[in-house]
Amino acid sequence: MQPQELKIYNTLSREKEIFTPIQPPLVGLYVCGPTVYGDAHLGHARPAVTFDTVYRYLQHLNYKVRYVRNITDVGHLQGDSDDGEDKIAKKAKLEQLEPMEVAQHYTDTYHRDMEALNTLKPNIEPRATGHIPEQIKLVQEILDNGLAYEVNGSVYFDVLKYNKEKTYGKLSGRVLEELLSGSRELEGQNEKRNPIDFALWKKASPEHLMKWESPWGLGFPGWHLECTAMSSKYLGNHFDIHGGGMDLMFPHHECEIAQGNASHDADPAKYWMHNNMITINGQKMGKSLGNFITLQELFSGKHELLDQAYTPMTVRFFILTAHYRSTLDFSNEALKAAQKGYKKIINGLRVAKKLEFQEEAGVEKDEKQIQQVEKSIENAYRAMNDDFNTAQAIGHLFNILKKINSLYTGQLKFGQLGKAVFDKMIQTFTIFVEDILGLVEESENRGEELLEILLKVYKEAKLAKNYDRVDEIRSALKDVGVVVKDMKDKVDWAYEE
């Protein structure tokens, strides 16, 4: 169901555009992945969940998506600059390991945390170190086109020369003259023609751990170069969507656009999507501020800023309750509210899956109720089609959930909706929760069979008016986060909200 065309906010045009794939129904989606030198943190969770949802929704709309998310395992230097130590190599020296040991370990832990958040695996997950020949070829193409220069074994992109025909800064809105006036010569950068030029290939010093042979001597690729080489290899020179965090817009994505145009005269992507940043209690997250929280700390509750542990699905739901382009502030209060909201949704999902339409004599259709259900369904899709607005979609899902719960308690009769609308409502709710938003029930290990046995004992105690036993069972279940629901004609359970 698609009440309106999908619109995406394109950072490049600074407006929402109707999504028109280059070669429908095929869609190429490239997302900048992690630099694997430390544990995944909240800053990794947001783009992962954001673009997982984009991937899921595009598939729901019957697009055939090739989702590529890279692993950066070389070339990302301290301070995101062209000088300094490689982040992975620095970690390797500290821990007396091979750089690839560090990269493999943190790639594995990243995958573990992404799996916990129920993000789908990308179709292709290329590593920078596995694409050195492609990167060398790309550098040579830019050199051949006269938009790069070699100095002492390093190759730099000539930004001023490129800007004579193209516009450097068109994605981020940076003005070249201001960049020039604001730049300064840093140690080791005096070999550049201009401070704003960036490295395509860097000469490796003797002590540098990761280096490869190239036409310009032993060296390693520049950080920006990697994504251009890998995205063009797997998605072509011009593909549909490039995603990443807002912090990557400049210089990383700006440099990707320059490299794409300098090598094959094409912008890498038609649509550029950027998720906004996260803050912790209103402050930017940073190790120096003491508010740097890894996902494992969040899941375990082992951090001084956390009141308790928060499950992966609580974190995923929390990320989805804000539009991806708005800032997202992590706080205990907000996470607890998300925990409550997630449990309401999952309780609703349990109810939706067990509800079966019942024919009721003498009950007529209620057009007002039907219109309310139809409108909520339409609005949920409308929200997703409006630049993937999961926050609004969730609000409409809660409206659908009210109807589901009303059917469950008997306040609303099945006949008032009719079978067709009932089926559509249950199907829409289930698809949105599981397939589009990617939310799953986390407490399956509690054992529904055991719960059903306990509820049977509870009912027997209630019939026998053994109220001490009734209270004992109710209390024991509450201790493990389950509440007993006494209803007119049955006894059921739900997760405590």
mmCIF file of all heavy atoms in Angstrom, residues 279-323:
data_model
loop_
_atom_site.group_PDB
_atom_site.id
_atom_site.type_symbol
_atom_site.label_atom_id
_atom_site.label_comp_id
_atom_site.label_asym_id
_atom_site.label_seq_id
_atom_site.Cartn_x
_atom_site.Cartn_y
_atom_site.Cartn_z
ATOM 1 N N THR A 279 23.118 13.144 21.420
ATOM 2 C CA THR A 279 23.704 13.788 22.598
ATOM 3 C C THR A 279 23.356 12.935 23.818
ATOM 4 O O THR A 279 22.449 12.109 23.771
ATOM 5 C CB THR A 279 23.156 15.219 22.792
ATOM 6 O OG1 THR A 279 21.715 15.162 22.819
ATOM 7 C CG2 THR A 279 23.591 16.133 21.666
ATOM 8 N N ILE A 280 24.093 13.130 24.888
ATOM 9 C CA ILE A 280 23.829 12.408 26.131
ATOM 10 C C ILE A 280 23.522 13.449 27.195
ATOM 11 O O ILE A 280 24.368 14.262 27.532
ATOM 12 C CB ILE A 280 25.055 11.579 26.555
ATOM 13 C CG1 ILE A 280 25.545 10.742 25.387
ATOM 14 C CG2 ILE A 280 24.778 10.778 27.803
ATOM 15 C CD1 ILE A 280 25.563 9.294 25.486
ATOM 16 N N ASN A 281 22.289 13.421 27.670
ATOM 17 C CA ASN A 281 21.840 14.424 28.640
ATOM 18 C C ASN A 281 22.138 15.842 28.160
ATOM 19 O O ASN A 281 22.578 16.710 28.908
ATOM 20 C CB ASN A 281 22.497 14.185 30.010
ATOM 21 C CG ASN A 281 22.105 12.838 30.605
ATOM 22 O OD1 ASN A 281 20.952 12.425 30.519
ATOM 23 N ND2 ASN A 281 23.068 12.152 31.194
ATOM 24 N N GLY A 282 21.914 16.064 26.853
ATOM 25 C CA GLY A 282 22.076 17.396 26.272
ATOM 26 C C GLY A 282 23.485 17.747 25.846
ATOM 27 O O GLY A 282 23.705 18.802 25.264
ATOM 28 N N GLN A 283 24.465 16.867 26.116
ATOM 29 C CA GLN A 283 25.857 17.138 25.757
ATOM 30 C C GLN A 283 26.308 16.222 24.643
ATOM 31 O O GLN A 283 25.868 15.077 24.555
ATOM 32 C CB GLN A 283 26.789 16.891 26.958
ATOM 33 C CG GLN A 283 26.884 18.049 27.931
ATOM 34 C CD GLN A 283 27.994 17.781 28.944
ATOM 35 O OE1 GLN A 283 28.042 16.721 29.542
ATOM 36 N NE2 GLN A 283 28.870 18.735 29.130
ATOM 37 N N LYS A 284 27.223 16.709 23.819
ATOM 38 C CA LYS A 284 27.804 15.868 22.785
ATOM 39 C C LYS A 284 28.576 14.728 23.447
ATOM 40 O O LYS A 284 29.232 14.932 24.461
ATOM 41 C CB LYS A 284 28.749 16.704 21.912
ATOM 42 C CG LYS A 284 29.299 15.956 20.711
ATOM 43 C CD LYS A 284 30.201 16.847 19.879
ATOM 44 C CE LYS A 284 30.788 16.060 18.707
ATOM 45 N NZ LYS A 284 31.714 16.880 17.907
ATOM 46 N N MET A 285 28.463 13.537 22.876
ATOM 47 C CA MET A 285 29.160 12.390 23.462
ATOM 48 C C MET A 285 30.657 12.488 23.182
ATOM 49 O O MET A 285 31.078 12.794 22.075
ATOM 50 C CB MET A 285 28.618 11.078 22.882
ATOM 51 C CG MET A 285 29.203 9.838 23.524
ATOM 52 S SD MET A 285 28.443 8.293 22.953
ATOM 53 C CE MET A 285 29.154 8.157 21.320
ATOM 54 N N GLY A 286 31.474 12.238 24.197
ATOM 55 C CA GLY A 286 32.923 12.267 24.029
ATOM 56 C C GLY A 286 33.628 11.625 25.207
ATOM 57 O O GLY A 286 33.173 11.725 26.346
ATOM 58 N N LYS A 287 34.735 10.951 24.919
ATOM 59 C CA LYS A 287 35.482 10.274 25.981
ATOM 60 C C LYS A 287 35.968 11.271 27.029
ATOM 61 O O LYS A 287 35.995 10.993 28.226
ATOM 62 C CB LYS A 287 36.657 9.504 25.388
ATOM 63 C CG LYS A 287 36.214 8.255 24.634
ATOM 64 C CD LYS A 287 37.382 7.480 24.064
ATOM 65 C CE LYS A 287 36.882 6.236 23.339
ATOM 66 N NZ LYS A 287 37.947 5.484 22.672
ATOM 67 N N SER A 288 36.362 12.467 26.584
ATOM 68 C CA SER A 288 36.889 13.474 27.516
ATOM 69 C C SER A 288 35.814 13.988 28.469
ATOM 70 O O SER A 288 36.110 14.456 29.560
ATOM 71 C CB SER A 288 37.481 14.655 26.735
ATOM 72 O OG SER A 288 36.490 15.243 25.909
ATOM 73 N N LEU A 289 34.540 13.884 28.056
ATOM 74 C CA LEU A 289 33.435 14.362 28.898
ATOM 75 C C LEU A 289 32.933 13.280 29.856
ATOM 76 O O LEU A 289 32.076 13.545 30.705
ATOM 77 C CB LEU A 289 32.270 14.837 28.017
ATOM 78 C CG LEU A 289 32.547 16.053 27.122
ATOM 79 C CD1 LEU A 289 31.406 16.245 26.131
ATOM 80 C CD2 LEU A 289 32.729 17.312 27.960
ATOM 81 N N GLY A 290 33.442 12.062 29.695
ATOM 82 C CA GLY A 290 33.028 10.972 30.577
ATOM 83 C C GLY A 290 31.639 10.443 30.280
ATOM 84 O O GLY A 290 31.067 9.711 31.084
ATOM 85 N N ASN A 291 31.080 10.818 29.121
ATOM 86 C CA ASN A 291 29.722 10.355 28.793
ATOM 87 C C ASN A 291 29.720 9.459 27.560
ATOM 88 O O ASN A 291 28.713 9.309 26.883
ATOM 89 C CB ASN A 291 28.780 11.550 28.588
ATOM 90 C CG ASN A 291 29.171 12.402 27.380
ATOM 91 O OD1 ASN A 291 30.191 12.161 26.740
ATOM 92 N ND2 ASN A 291 28.369 13.400 27.078
ATOM 93 N N PHE A 292 30.860 8.883 27.281
ATOM 94 C CA PHE A 292 31.011 7.976 26.140
ATOM 95 C C PHE A 292 30.463 6.605 26.534
ATOM 96 O O PHE A 292 30.978 5.963 27.444
ATOM 97 C CB PHE A 292 32.502 7.880 25.774
ATOM 98 C CG PHE A 292 32.788 7.066 24.546
ATOM 99 C CD1 PHE A 292 32.749 7.657 23.290
ATOM 100 C CD2 PHE A 292 33.107 5.721 24.636
ATOM 101 C CE1 PHE A 292 33.017 6.919 22.145
ATOM 102 C CE2 PHE A 292 33.382 4.969 23.497
ATOM 103 C CZ PHE A 292 33.341 5.581 22.257
ATOM 104 N N ILE A 293 29.380 6.170 25.889
ATOM 105 C CA ILE A 293 28.725 4.918 26.273
ATOM 106 C C ILE A 293 28.741 3.942 25.101
ATOM 107 O O ILE A 293 28.229 4.244 24.022
ATOM 108 C CB ILE A 293 27.262 5.162 26.713
ATOM 109 C CG1 ILE A 293 27.213 6.181 27.859
ATOM 110 C CG2 ILE A 293 26.608 3.852 27.154
ATOM 111 C CD1 ILE A 293 25.804 6.542 28.301
ATOM 112 N N THR A 294 29.349 2.772 25.326
ATOM 113 C CA THR A 294 29.328 1.736 24.297
ATOM 114 C C THR A 294 27.989 1.002 24.354
ATOM 115 O O THR A 294 27.259 1.075 25.351
ATOM 116 C CB THR A 294 30.465 0.713 24.491
ATOM 117 O OG1 THR A 294 30.217 -0.044 25.684
ATOM 118 C CG2 THR A 294 31.820 1.405 24.596
ATOM 119 N N LEU A 295 27.689 0.277 23.293
ATOM 120 C CA LEU A 295 26.427 -0.463 23.262
ATOM 121 C C LEU A 295 26.407 -1.574 24.312
ATOM 122 O O LEU A 295 25.378 -1.823 24.937
ATOM 123 C CB LEU A 295 26.191 -1.043 21.864
ATOM 124 C CG LEU A 295 25.863 0.000 20.789
ATOM 125 C CD1 LEU A 295 25.763 -0.642 19.418
ATOM 126 C CD2 LEU A 295 24.581 0.750 21.106
ATOM 127 N N GLN A 296 27.548 -2.200 24.532
ATOM 128 C CA GLN A 296 27.594 -3.251 25.544
ATOM 129 C C GLN A 296 27.354 -2.678 26.946
ATOM 130 O O GLN A 296 26.716 -3.308 27.786
ATOM 131 C CB GLN A 296 28.940 -3.985 25.489
ATOM 132 C CG GLN A 296 29.045 -4.981 24.343
ATOM 133 C CD GLN A 296 27.989 -6.081 24.412
ATOM 134 O OE1 GLN A 296 27.853 -6.756 25.419
ATOM 135 N NE2 GLN A 296 27.245 -6.260 23.314
ATOM 136 N N GLU A 297 27.861 -1.471 27.199
ATOM 137 C CA GLU A 297 27.593 -0.807 28.492
ATOM 138 C C GLU A 297 26.111 -0.486 28.624
ATOM 139 O O GLU A 297 25.521 -0.617 29.699
ATOM 140 C CB GLU A 297 28.423 0.476 28.604
ATOM 141 C CG GLU A 297 29.901 0.231 28.850
ATOM 142 C CD GLU A 297 30.738 1.491 28.729
ATOM 143 O OE1 GLU A 297 30.340 2.425 28.013
ATOM 144 O OE2 GLU A 297 31.816 1.538 29.355
ATOM 145 N N LEU A 298 25.511 -0.082 27.526
ATOM 146 C CA LEU A 298 24.080 0.238 27.526
ATOM 147 C C LEU A 298 23.252 -1.019 27.791
ATOM 148 O O LEU A 298 22.310 -0.997 28.588
ATOM 149 C CB LEU A 298 23.703 0.855 26.183
ATOM 150 C CG LEU A 298 22.409 1.646 26.102
ATOM 151 C CD1 LEU A 298 22.454 2.880 26.978
ATOM 152 C CD2 LEU A 298 22.135 2.059 24.667
ATOM 153 N N PHE A 299 23.632 -2.118 27.138
ATOM 154 C CA PHE A 299 22.886 -3.370 27.291
ATOM 155 C C PHE A 299 23.059 -3.976 28.680
ATOM 156 O O PHE A 299 22.171 -4.678 29.173
ATOM 157 C CB PHE A 299 23.323 -4.398 26.241
ATOM 158 C CG PHE A 299 23.120 -3.968 24.809
ATOM 159 C CD1 PHE A 299 23.856 -4.555 23.788
ATOM 160 C CD2 PHE A 299 22.198 -2.980 24.471
ATOM 161 C CE1 PHE A 299 23.686 -4.167 22.462
ATOM 162 C CE2 PHE A 299 22.020 -2.584 23.150
ATOM 163 C CZ PHE A 299 22.770 -3.185 22.142
ATOM 164 N N SER A 300 24.213 -3.717 29.313
ATOM 165 C CA SER A 300 24.489 -4.293 30.639
ATOM 166 C C SER A 300 24.161 -3.341 31.778
ATOM 167 O O SER A 300 24.030 -3.759 32.927
ATOM 168 C CB SER A 300 25.961 -4.698 30.736
ATOM 169 O OG SER A 300 26.799 -3.546 30.720
ATOM 170 N N GLY A 301 24.040 -2.041 31.470
ATOM 171 C CA GLY A 301 23.791 -1.036 32.502
ATOM 172 C C GLY A 301 25.041 -0.640 33.264
ATOM 173 O O GLY A 301 24.974 0.118 34.235
ATOM 174 N N LYS A 302 26.208 -1.124 32.816
ATOM 175 C CA LYS A 302 27.457 -0.880 33.542
ATOM 176 C C LYS A 302 28.133 0.402 33.076
ATOM 177 O O LYS A 302 29.141 0.384 32.366
ATOM 178 C CB LYS A 302 28.396 -2.080 33.395
ATOM 179 C CG LYS A 302 27.867 -3.339 34.088
ATOM 180 C CD LYS A 302 28.760 -4.536 33.855
ATOM 181 C CE LYS A 302 28.192 -5.772 34.535
ATOM 182 N NZ LYS A 302 28.991 -6.989 34.253
ATOM 183 N N HIS A 303 27.540 1.519 33.446
ATOM 184 C CA HIS A 303 28.112 2.843 33.183
ATOM 185 C C HIS A 303 27.530 3.791 34.217
ATOM 186 O O HIS A 303 26.348 3.711 34.556
ATOM 187 C CB HIS A 303 27.770 3.312 31.762
ATOM 188 C CG HIS A 303 28.527 4.525 31.331
ATOM 189 N ND1 HIS A 303 28.229 5.790 31.785
ATOM 190 C CD2 HIS A 303 29.589 4.671 30.492
ATOM 191 C CE1 HIS A 303 29.058 6.661 31.233
ATOM 192 N NE2 HIS A 303 29.894 6.008 30.448
ATOM 193 N N GLU A 304 28.355 4.689 34.704
ATOM 194 C CA GLU A 304 27.923 5.552 35.819
ATOM 195 C C GLU A 304 26.751 6.452 35.467
ATOM 196 O O GLU A 304 26.004 6.894 36.348
ATOM 197 C CB GLU A 304 29.098 6.399 36.312
ATOM 198 C CG GLU A 304 29.701 7.315 35.262
ATOM 199 C CD GLU A 304 30.904 8.095 35.769
ATOM 200 O OE1 GLU A 304 31.405 7.759 36.859
ATOM 201 O OE2 GLU A 304 31.319 9.043 35.077
ATOM 202 N N LEU A 305 26.531 6.718 34.188
ATOM 203 C CA LEU A 305 25.415 7.575 33.784
ATOM 204 C C LEU A 305 24.100 6.816 33.638
ATOM 205 O O LEU A 305 23.056 7.433 33.446
ATOM 206 C CB LEU A 305 25.742 8.274 32.459
ATOM 207 C CG LEU A 305 26.840 9.344 32.490
ATOM 208 C CD1 LEU A 305 27.078 9.894 31.090
ATOM 209 C CD2 LEU A 305 26.477 10.478 33.442
ATOM 210 N N LEU A 306 24.155 5.501 33.736
ATOM 211 C CA LEU A 306 22.957 4.684 33.509
ATOM 212 C C LEU A 306 22.326 4.228 34.821
ATOM 213 O O LEU A 306 23.019 3.742 35.720
ATOM 214 C CB LEU A 306 23.303 3.459 32.661
ATOM 215 C CG LEU A 306 23.839 3.740 31.251
ATOM 216 C CD1 LEU A 306 24.286 2.447 30.589
ATOM 217 C CD2 LEU A 306 22.791 4.442 30.395
ATOM 218 N N ASP A 307 21.013 4.373 34.917
ATOM 219 C CA ASP A 307 20.265 3.893 36.091
ATOM 220 C C ASP A 307 20.051 2.387 36.051
ATOM 221 O O ASP A 307 19.848 1.746 37.074
ATOM 222 C CB ASP A 307 18.871 4.555 36.147
ATOM 223 C CG ASP A 307 18.949 6.034 36.474
ATOM 224 O OD1 ASP A 307 20.034 6.487 36.865
ATOM 225 O OD2 ASP A 307 17.923 6.725 36.313
ATOM 226 N N GLN A 308 20.054 1.829 34.836
ATOM 227 C CA GLN A 308 19.727 0.419 34.658
ATOM 228 C C GLN A 308 20.227 -0.036 33.298
ATOM 229 O O GLN A 308 20.748 0.760 32.512
ATOM 230 C CB GLN A 308 18.198 0.228 34.717
ATOM 231 C CG GLN A 308 17.470 0.975 33.593
ATOM 232 C CD GLN A 308 15.986 0.720 33.557
ATOM 233 O OE1 GLN A 308 15.261 1.166 34.432
ATOM 234 N NE2 GLN A 308 15.526 0.016 32.533
ATOM 235 N N ALA A 309 20.083 -1.318 33.004
ATOM 236 C CA ALA A 309 20.392 -1.850 31.680
ATOM 237 C C ALA A 309 19.199 -1.599 30.756
ATOM 238 O O ALA A 309 18.057 -1.559 31.200
ATOM 239 C CB ALA A 309 20.671 -3.350 31.771
ATOM 240 N N TYR A 310 19.492 -1.397 29.479
ATOM 241 C CA TYR A 310 18.444 -1.217 28.474
ATOM 242 C C TYR A 310 18.650 -2.238 27.372
ATOM 243 O O TYR A 310 19.751 -2.364 26.831
ATOM 244 C CB TYR A 310 18.470 0.207 27.908
ATOM 245 C CG TYR A 310 18.220 1.256 28.959
ATOM 246 C CD1 TYR A 310 19.278 1.954 29.538
ATOM 247 C CD2 TYR A 310 16.929 1.525 29.413
ATOM 248 C CE1 TYR A 310 19.051 2.910 30.533
ATOM 249 C CE2 TYR A 310 16.703 2.476 30.407
ATOM 250 C CZ TYR A 310 17.766 3.165 30.955
ATOM 251 O OH TYR A 310 17.543 4.099 31.937
ATOM 252 N N THR A 311 17.603 -2.973 27.049
ATOM 253 C CA THR A 311 17.728 -4.046 26.071
ATOM 254 C C THR A 311 17.956 -3.478 24.664
ATOM 255 O O THR A 311 17.604 -2.326 24.386
ATOM 256 C CB THR A 311 16.466 -4.925 26.042
ATOM 257 O OG1 THR A 311 15.378 -4.139 25.516
ATOM 258 C CG2 THR A 311 16.117 -5.449 27.433
ATOM 259 N N PRO A 312 18.540 -4.280 23.775
ATOM 260 C CA PRO A 312 18.752 -3.811 22.398
ATOM 261 C C PRO A 312 17.484 -3.319 21.711
ATOM 262 O O PRO A 312 17.514 -2.316 20.999
ATOM 263 C CB PRO A 312 19.319 -5.054 21.698
ATOM 264 C CG PRO A 312 20.021 -5.803 22.784
ATOM 265 C CD PRO A 312 19.181 -5.593 24.007
ATOM 266 N N MET A 313 16.343 -3.998 21.951
ATOM 267 C CA MET A 313 15.108 -3.556 21.301
ATOM 268 C C MET A 313 14.602 -2.235 21.876
ATOM 269 O O MET A 313 13.984 -1.437 21.171
ATOM 270 C CB MET A 313 14.021 -4.631 21.418
ATOM 271 C CG MET A 313 14.198 -5.793 20.467
ATOM 272 S SD MET A 313 14.174 -5.319 18.706
ATOM 273 C CE MET A 313 15.929 -5.286 18.348
ATOM 274 N N THR A 314 14.866 -1.994 23.157
ATOM 275 C CA THR A 314 14.529 -0.686 23.740
ATOM 276 C C THR A 314 15.329 0.403 23.047
ATOM 277 O O THR A 314 14.808 1.470 22.707
ATOM 278 C CB THR A 314 14.816 -0.675 25.252
ATOM 279 O OG1 THR A 314 13.957 -1.612 25.904
ATOM 280 C CG2 THR A 314 14.585 0.704 25.855
ATOM 281 N N VAL A 315 16.611 0.130 22.814
ATOM 282 C CA VAL A 315 17.492 1.102 22.148
ATOM 283 C C VAL A 315 17.031 1.325 20.709
ATOM 284 O O VAL A 315 16.953 2.463 20.235
ATOM 285 C CB VAL A 315 18.955 0.625 22.188
ATOM 286 C CG1 VAL A 315 19.859 1.577 21.405
ATOM 287 C CG2 VAL A 315 19.441 0.522 23.638
ATOM 288 N N ARG A 316 16.704 0.228 20.017
ATOM 289 C CA ARG A 316 16.235 0.364 18.633
ATOM 290 C C ARG A 316 14.940 1.178 18.579
ATOM 291 O O ARG A 316 14.812 2.098 17.762
ATOM 292 C CB ARG A 316 16.006 -1.017 18.007
ATOM 293 C CG ARG A 316 15.599 -0.928 16.546
ATOM 294 C CD ARG A 316 15.345 -2.268 15.887
ATOM 295 N NE ARG A 316 14.948 -2.049 14.499
ATOM 296 C CZ ARG A 316 15.720 -2.200 13.441
ATOM 297 N NH1 ARG A 316 16.970 -2.589 13.594
ATOM 298 N NH2 ARG A 316 15.262 -1.950 12.231
ATOM 299 N N PHE A 317 14.013 0.845 19.452
ATOM 300 C CA PHE A 317 12.734 1.566 19.480
ATOM 301 C C PHE A 317 12.968 3.039 19.784
ATOM 302 O O PHE A 317 12.361 3.917 19.162
ATOM 303 C CB PHE A 317 11.816 0.945 20.539
ATOM 304 C CG PHE A 317 10.447 1.574 20.595
ATOM 305 C CD1 PHE A 317 9.477 1.250 19.664
ATOM 306 C CD2 PHE A 317 10.136 2.497 21.584
ATOM 307 C CE1 PHE A 317 8.213 1.830 19.698
ATOM 308 C CE2 PHE A 317 8.882 3.088 21.636
ATOM 309 C CZ PHE A 317 7.912 2.745 20.690
ATOM 310 N N PHE A 318 13.864 3.326 20.727
ATOM 311 C CA PHE A 318 14.159 4.714 21.088
ATOM 312 C C PHE A 318 14.688 5.491 19.886
ATOM 313 O O PHE A 318 14.272 6.623 19.624
ATOM 314 C CB PHE A 318 15.171 4.749 22.230
ATOM 315 C CG PHE A 318 15.597 6.143 22.611
ATOM 316 C CD1 PHE A 318 14.667 7.086 22.987
ATOM 317 C CD2 PHE A 318 16.932 6.514 22.561
ATOM 318 C CE1 PHE A 318 15.045 8.377 23.328
ATOM 319 C CE2 PHE A 318 17.317 7.797 22.900
ATOM 320 C CZ PHE A 318 16.376 8.726 23.278
ATOM 321 N N ILE A 319 15.610 4.892 19.132
ATOM 322 C CA ILE A 319 16.167 5.556 17.948
ATOM 323 C C ILE A 319 15.052 5.848 16.944
ATOM 324 O O ILE A 319 15.018 6.922 16.324
ATOM 325 C CB ILE A 319 17.276 4.691 17.318
ATOM 326 C CG1 ILE A 319 18.507 4.670 18.242
ATOM 327 C CG2 ILE A 319 17.675 5.215 15.939
ATOM 328 C CD1 ILE A 319 19.570 3.655 17.855
ATOM 329 N N LEU A 320 14.111 4.930 16.804
ATOM 330 C CA LEU A 320 13.022 5.089 15.830
ATOM 331 C C LEU A 320 11.970 6.099 16.261
ATOM 332 O O LEU A 320 11.173 6.556 15.441
ATOM 333 C CB LEU A 320 12.358 3.737 15.575
ATOM 334 C CG LEU A 320 13.220 2.675 14.883
ATOM 335 C CD1 LEU A 320 12.523 1.322 14.901
ATOM 336 C CD2 LEU A 320 13.556 3.082 13.450
ATOM 337 N N THR A 321 11.952 6.466 17.555
ATOM 338 C CA THR A 321 10.941 7.423 18.021
ATOM 339 C C THR A 321 11.296 8.865 17.680
ATOM 340 O O THR A 321 10.516 9.776 17.975
ATOM 341 C CB THR A 321 10.719 7.311 19.545
ATOM 342 O OG1 THR A 321 11.966 7.506 20.216
ATOM 343 C CG2 THR A 321 10.120 5.981 19.927
ATOM 344 N N ALA A 322 12.451 9.078 17.074
ATOM 345 C CA ALA A 322 12.810 10.414 16.580
ATOM 346 C C ALA A 322 13.045 10.312 15.078
ATOM 347 O O ALA A 322 13.513 9.287 14.580
ATOM 348 C CB ALA A 322 14.071 10.918 17.275
ATOM 349 N N HIS A 323 12.714 11.365 14.345
ATOM 350 C CA HIS A 323 13.022 11.376 12.922
ATOM 351 C C HIS A 323 14.538 11.367 12.757
ATOM 352 O O HIS A 323 15.248 12.022 13.519
ATOM 353 C CB HIS A 323 12.415 12.607 12.244
ATOM 354 C CG HIS A 323 12.535 12.574 10.753
ATOM 355 N ND1 HIS A 323 13.545 13.218 10.087
ATOM 356 C CD2 HIS A 323 11.798 11.946 9.801
ATOM 357 C CE1 HIS A 323 13.414 13.004 8.781
ATOM 358 N NE2 HIS A 323 12.354 12.229 8.589
#
